[in-house]
Amino acid sequence: PYEKSKSMGSGGSMEAPSLELLEAVQGEKIDLQPGKVHVLYFFTTFYKGAYPVNEEFTKLSEKYKDVTFISISNDAEKEKLERFLQKLILDDKSNEPIRMKTPFVFYDEKKATAKLYTDVSGLSIMSCPTAFIVDKDGKIQWRQQFLQTYTVKDSNFENQLLHVINGEELESNGPRPKVDAGEGEAVEADDMSLF
């Protein structure tokens, strides 16, 4: 997010919607817990390019035990998610396992919760994978989209998580870029016009 984004800390953060509509598939059913930092990772099983991001979030959940990591599947069918969680997936290059083993994996029927997070973030759509950092007060402090070519290790996501854990100010991505609208007129870009 850029400065003054609805999901960028310090003055721009919004109340995180409840997780009550989600169905637990791995781990027990929980909601956002006051006094705890949460990472909500929205993903789909069919985007194979994001599998390394799944592993990165698994590792982050193992590293930051005081943070609640919840992976949220936006697949069309819960059965696909259940089959996916049973599969052994190996990295094409290293032949190492790629895991989706965050403590909690939930299914988002009809993307109802994803729509709530899309709306509160001021987005027109939510691309998966996307992660949100929710602070101890239940406010969204950071939102980050990932791609096959832009994973957690390429981003400042872990640094931002540390800032939220420590109650520090977040790093800024600077002002929203201007897009030339033709006729030499520059307009502020929305999230979709950048792609």
Side-chain angles (χ1 to χ4, degrees), residues 62 139 148 161 180:
E62 293 166 350
K139 304 273 190 199
Q148 180 174 357
L161 177 59
D180 186 3

Side-chain angles (χ1 to χ4, degrees), residues 173-193:
N173 280 344
R176 186 174 297 284
K178 303 284 184 188
V179 176
D180 186 3
E183 306 287 323
E185 205 176 309
V187 296
E188 193 172 273
D190 65 16
D191 286 337
M192 292 307 297
S193 64

Side-chain angles (χ1 to χ4, degrees), residues 42-44 47 74 118 123-132 143-147 192 195:
F42 289 84
F43 75 102
T44 58
Y47 179 33
N74 277 186
T118 300
L123 300 171
S124 52
I125 61 167
M126 183 191 300
S127 298
C128 289
T130 293
F132 292 83
R143 168 183 45 85
Q144 183 76 58
Q145 181 181 349
F146 300 98
L147 303 166
M192 292 307 297
F195 297 101

Side-chain angles (χ1 to χ4, degrees), residues 101-119:
K101 295 290 183 192
T102 56
F104 305 95
V105 180
F106 293 168
Y107 175 66
D108 190 8
E109 177 84 32
K110 297 183 181 176
K111 302 179 186 179
T113 300
K115 288 175 188 170
L116 295 173
Y117 277 81
T118 300
D119 291 344

Side-chain angles (χ1 to χ4, degrees), residues 45 73-83 107:
T45 61
S73 167
N74 277 186
D75 286 288
E77 299 168 2
K78 185 174 88 170
E79 294 72 27
K80 286 184 181 182
L81 171 62
E82 291 169 334
R83 285 192 305 270
Y107 175 66

